[in-house]
Amino acid sequence: MMKQECIMVYNLRDFDERPYFEEYTGEYGLSMVTTAETPTPENATLAQGCRYVNIITTPADRPLLEALYQQGTRYIVTRTIGYDHIDLDAAKELGIRVANTPYGPDGVAEYTILLMLMCLRNMTSIRHRYLGQDFTLKGLIGRELSQMTVGVIGTGRIGTRLISMLTGFGCRTLAYAPHPNAEAKKHAEYVSLETLYRESDLITLHAPANAETTHMINEDALAQMKNGVILVNTGRGALIDTAALLHGLDTGKVGGAGLDVIEEESDLYYYDRREELLHHRDMALLNSYPNVVVTHHMAFYTRQCVETMVRDSVRGIVADIQGLKNPWRVC
Ligand code: NAI
């Protein structure tokens, strides 16, 4: 029975994901059809006869879900932790089951610390100067993480892991989440959002993007923060109102930002756009600030995370085929 099941894999990267897909579909006796293309209503026909479709962070809106449903798709797994790019209401109405892939939190937590340190040590300016053969020091003096009060918003798997890693730096750590957890409580003090905004020198975001969290960092939130606050976002671009952030950078309210994710990134990130005019003005502006570091949604990108995301996306499908409880189902 397993052999008859086919997985349609979109956006497959040959250079890192394919060997893992071959290993795990082989292990479970599944067949797969693959494409490097992003799923669209037009290329949904590639999934013809495949009940299982495997995607990344590209939007899965109602027209795409309807087109896939017509091809026989009944289950979509995103080999990512976030699933805000999938229209869950449409999926539910159509009867398409949705799963995500919560791979280990270490890769993203470590990358978050990287961005924090890059901001505190003015790494964007250092690299610009160095590459321009300007080896002066003036204006590049850094700050030490040990002296900071760090505010962590969202204490799920990644936020909690980050909090435990931060103990090694000796900083004071504040945390906010609707549902505090005991592990994070060991190393951080849970406070209200208002207190976190007021007392943190550096704020890092680890909440999912949803209706409640979209633009949670807006003019109003920024006004409550310390002057010169550093913002780090490895969560989702939607958490920050980019216009408010740009204004904050202009006025000095925001003293630095480390952004692995930005709004409206999905048409750009992971594509080679070298020969094209890009129409993402906010991204161009963000990259023009010497105290901002922007990366293209890379925090997850470690060998360990990639293997686990492929493995568990396949294991969730196997659980579904076998009628077992699937720990990664989101709807
Ligand atoms: P999780 O589901 O374990 O934790 C989410 C946390 O956010 C929970 O503590 C939850 O209580 C909290 N939360 C929910 N609503 C909130 C609100 N309104 N305000 C504050 N906190 C709120 O998720 P996990 O695995 O820790 O991942 C967090 C996010 O990181 C994902 O949703 C995803 O968007 C992002 N991510 C980014 C990656 C990257 O490469 N940049 C890679 C992996 C995940």
Side-chain angles (χ1 to χ4, degrees), residues 81-82 84 103 108 153-159 176-179 206-210 212-213 216 234-236 260-261 297-300:
I81 293 178
D84 49 290
Y103 45 87
V108 181
I153 297 181
T155 57
R157 297 163 65 258
I158 294 169
Y176 171 78
H179 306 288
H206 304 284
N210 55 37
E212 196 191 329
T213 59
M216 67 183 295
T234 58
R236 281 290 181 269
D260 185 48
V261 285
H297 202 146
M298 298 290 296
F300 75 96

Side-chain angles (χ1 to χ4, degrees), residues 12-31:
L12 180 77
R13 300 187 302 270
D14 282 334
F15 52 84
D16 61 339
E17 294 182 308
R18 181 176 285 284
Y20 296 128
F21 266 108
E22 287 174 349
E23 179 182 342
Y24 290 107
T25 54
E27 184 177 329
Y28 295 108
L30 299 161
S31 62

